[in-house]
Amino acid sequence: MFPTDFVWGASTAAFQIEGATDVDGRGRSIWDTFCATPGKVLGGDTGEPAADHYRLFREDIALIKELGLGNYRFSIAWPRVQPDGRGPVNQAGLDFYERLVDNLLDQGVRPWPTLYHWDLPQALENAGGWPHRDTALRFADYAAVVHERLGDRVADWSTLNEPWVVAFLGYASGEHAPGRTEPAASLAAVHHLLLGHGLATQVIREQAAGNDAPTRMGIVLNTQTVRPLRDTVADRDAARRIDALRNRIFLDPLHHGRYPADLLRDVAHITDFGFVRPGDLETIQAPLDVMGVNFYNPSLVAGPATDVPRDKRDATGGGDGASPWPGSEDVQFLLSGLPRTGQGWEVDATGLRDLLVRLAADYPRLPLYVTENGAAYEDTVAEDGRVHDPERRQYLEQHIRAAHAALEAGAPLKGYFVWSLLDNLEWAFGYSQRFGIVYVDRATQRRVVKDSGYWYGGVARTGTVG
Ligand code: FCB
């Protein structure tokens, strides 16, 4: 049994569901450009029509309510609000999010907006993107604009979603927009993302001091449980390196105001971190109220010298071509032989329990929320008109039980959001992966609640895993 005030919700992101990329003055984002570049996104899929949520949001909110979920995490598209990422505000874009928030509140669903879920205005990328310091300042301006409009109704703000993905898949491996493969730039992007987070947090707190509404600030990280294959010096060192590049590179500046010394050593041949200016780390260390944790699967790694059979190598962790791990390109990612989701990610819920317990121990007293967790499988509508997805239900059940185990072990876990409410555009995988607890018919946009969705609604309503 979960505590009665435990928060249950579902998550989405603007570019993955909204569609309507060319209406009401929306500017172009790096994901529009990336999708339009041949070979970057599977099937040549684009942000159109996604789940057409820009038009169908009322229907989708009705579904959230019907399922008994009291909380909805979504993201705000910067290019709708500021088409060029700076300067003039597009009121029509802000109006959309105001309608969304008001409708959520009318239906008794608490809004949890994220200000940045990867859709950087293309104009800012043209000016240098996240490796360029000015982007952090522009992000804080944009955050102020959104908070100015919605701050009287929204209490729970996240600045960034998964800055690891933004920096390392966007600027090191190039698997994500904007598709650059520049290791030094990716590390500068990390710093400017964190700086943008800190500046946005500051400005929102200042503005909030002027209104009486409660304000809780957070950031969402895809922190990871990283396990060495064997208890050898080489494998333990591989795990340390990946833990530094995946977890501590964000957690240590946010919580302790410094980058990890071992990380700085590991990447010293790539950059000297000269982009860190006096005062930046104090800004980044601005106190947080909550921390969001996105979890899908743990990583199993081995050192470069370890002889690993080909069938044990995990292509999804290491990637092909350019590496997302500057300075640790030769670490090997392995499969442990557990069942995998439709996307090839191994299912191991112990990774979530261990992660939450570790975060609580190393970064104490900060309320934690699982802000994303879920799985893609090949769903179809059956003859009875329903979507039977026992594997997803099982995945969710195992992970919700693991979250409960972490809670019992003392982790200050306050809530859980499933990824995702709707089938959507899974970034470079296009529409090939269905993560929703609600099925979306691509041709008609008809929604069908999957069996896992009804099951999850029951968990949310009762606080018990039945
Ligand atoms: C996370 C992203 C989210 C979704 C899931 C599957 O990394 O935050 O948008 O793509 O993975």
Side-chain angles (χ1 to χ4, degrees):
M1 189 75 177
F2 283 85
T4 45
D5 60 353
F6 196 82
V7 159
W8 296 99
S11 286
T12 63
F15 189 72
Q16 294 181 275
I17 60 165
E18 286 179 357
T21 54
D22 212 11
V23 307
D24 294 342
R26 177 185 178 277
R28 196 174 171 84
S29 83
I30 55 174
W31 271 95
D32 298 294
T33 307
F34 199 67
C35 289
T37 311
K40 297 296 186 192
V41 174
L42 204 65
D45 291 342
T46 71
E48 292 289 354
D52 203 17
H53 173 80
Y54 192 79
R55 294 183 186 85
L56 298 176
F57 73 93
R58 288 186 187 80
E59 198 178 301
D60 293 334
I61 294 170
L63 274 175
I64 296 172
K65 185 178 178 186
E66 185 190 315
L67 288 174
L69 306 179
N71 300 272
Y72 177 50
R73 173 176 176 258
F74 58 96
S75 81
I76 293 176
W78 188 348
R80 285 199 196 282
V81 175
Q82 277 181 305
D84 288 330
R86 65 174 79 234
V89 173
N90 175 37
Q91 296 302 333
L94 269 181
D95 291 346
F96 170 69
Y97 294 106
E98 184 163 66
R99 286 197 297 278
L100 180 73
V101 164
D102 286 346
N103 201 275
L104 285 165
L105 294 172
D106 285 350
Q107 302 298 320
V109 179
R110 190 158 133 204
W112 295 68
T114 298
L115 288 162
Y116 185 74
H117 199 128
W118 308 354
D119 41 3
L120 186 71
Q122 181 63 44
L124 291 186
E125 175 56 30
N126 296 348
W130 285 109
H132 185 53
R133 186 180 177 90
D134 185 60
T135 304
L137 279 63
R138 302 286 69 79
F139 177 66
D141 289 351
Y142 150 72
V145 166
V146 176
H147 178 265
E148 177 88 43
R149 176 73 84 91
L150 300 176
D152 58 340
R153 280 155 284 180
V154 170
D156 298 285
W157 296 88
S158 291
T159 52
L160 307 174
N161 179 72
E162 300 188 359
W164 183 87
V165 170
V166 177
F168 294 121
L169 299 190
Y171 293 96
S173 76
E175 293 157 83
H176 274 198
R180 285 162 61 180
T181 48
E182 302 162 35
S186 73
L187 290 159
V190 166
H191 183 64
H192 298 138
L193 282 154
L194 285 170
L195 182 62
H197 156 80
L199 292 168
T201 301
Q202 262 175 7
V203 73
I204 290 181
R205 285 211 199 279
E206 277 160 28
Q207 290 187 174
N211 72 29
D212 290 340
T215 305
R216 287 177 291 271
M217 295 303 302
I219 185 169
V220 171
L221 302 177
N222 58 331
T223 40
Q224 180 78 312
T225 298
V226 185
R227 295 170 174 152
L229 176 66
R230 294 173 223 163
D231 194 16
T232 60
V233 173
D235 292 1
R236 278 202 314 270
D237 193 57
R240 176 197 61 72
R241 282 170 172 269
I242 298 304
D243 179 56
L245 275 167
R246 178 80 178 235
N247 299 320
R248 290 180 285 116
I249 191 172
F250 299 105
L251 292 164
D252 285 11
L254 288 166
H255 296 279
H256 304 314
R258 57 176 146 74
Y259 285 102
D262 60 328
L263 167 88
L264 298 179
R265 275 196 306 277
D266 290 344
V267 301
H269 59 294
I270 299 174
T271 172
D272 62 1
F273 271 58
F275 39 73
V276 180
R277 296 200 191 159
D280 284 2
L281 286 159
E282 287 74 21
T283 304
I284 291 168
Q285 210 187 346
L288 289 168
D289 300 305
V290 302
M291 203 169 71
V293 175
N294 292 354
F295 179 85
Y296 292 91
N297 57 343
S299 291
L300 182 66
V301 299
T306 314
D307 189 16
V308 178
R310 191 159 281 283
D311 66 331
K312 285 271 178 281
R313 292 192 191 149
D314 182 2
T316 63
D320 294 327
S323 162
W325 304 104
S328 295
E329 294 84 354
D330 51 6
V331 168
Q332 303 186 72
F333 285 79
L334 313 173
L335 295 167
S336 51
L338 290 164
R340 300 204 255 162
T341 67
Q343 203 176 10
W345 295 354
E346 286 195 328
V347 181
D348 182 359
T350 65
L352 176 60
R353 183 203 57 212
D354 291 356
L355 177 63
L356 295 169
V357 169
R358 180 262 175 110
L359 292 173
D362 288 1
Y363 307 94
R365 288 181 298 282
L366 192 61
L368 302 173
Y369 291 79
V370 174
T371 32
E372 288 182 24
N373 176 240
Y377 291 102
E378 274 180 38
D379 303 309
T380 48
V381 181
E383 270 178 21
D384 61 3
R386 316 223 359 189
V387 177
H388 304 298
D389 58 342
E391 290 171 305
R392 179 174 297 101
R393 183 206 134 130
Q394 195 187 21
Y395 178 99
L396 296 178
E397 178 167 347
Q398 288 170 352
H399 286 78
I400 291 170
R401 287 190 191 280
H404 192 260
L407 197 60
E408 287 197 317
L413 182 68
K414 305 293 177 197
Y416 175 96
F417 292 75
V418 67
W419 182 272
S420 179
L421 178 68
L422 302 168
D423 289 341
N424 58 49
L425 178 87
E426 178 47 26
W427 307 110
F429 288 90
Y431 296 103
S432 71
Q433 304 298 322
R434 293 183 176 273
F435 268 96
I437 54 169
V438 176
Y439 180 92
V440 177
D441 183 311
R442 296 223 171 91
T444 63
Q445 291 295 338
R446 194 169 66 95
R447 273 72 166 137
V448 182
V449 177
K450 301 178 190 177
D451 288 356
S452 63
Y454 289 116
W455 174 84
Y456 179 59
V459 174
R461 282 193 300 273
T462 60
T464 327
V465 181

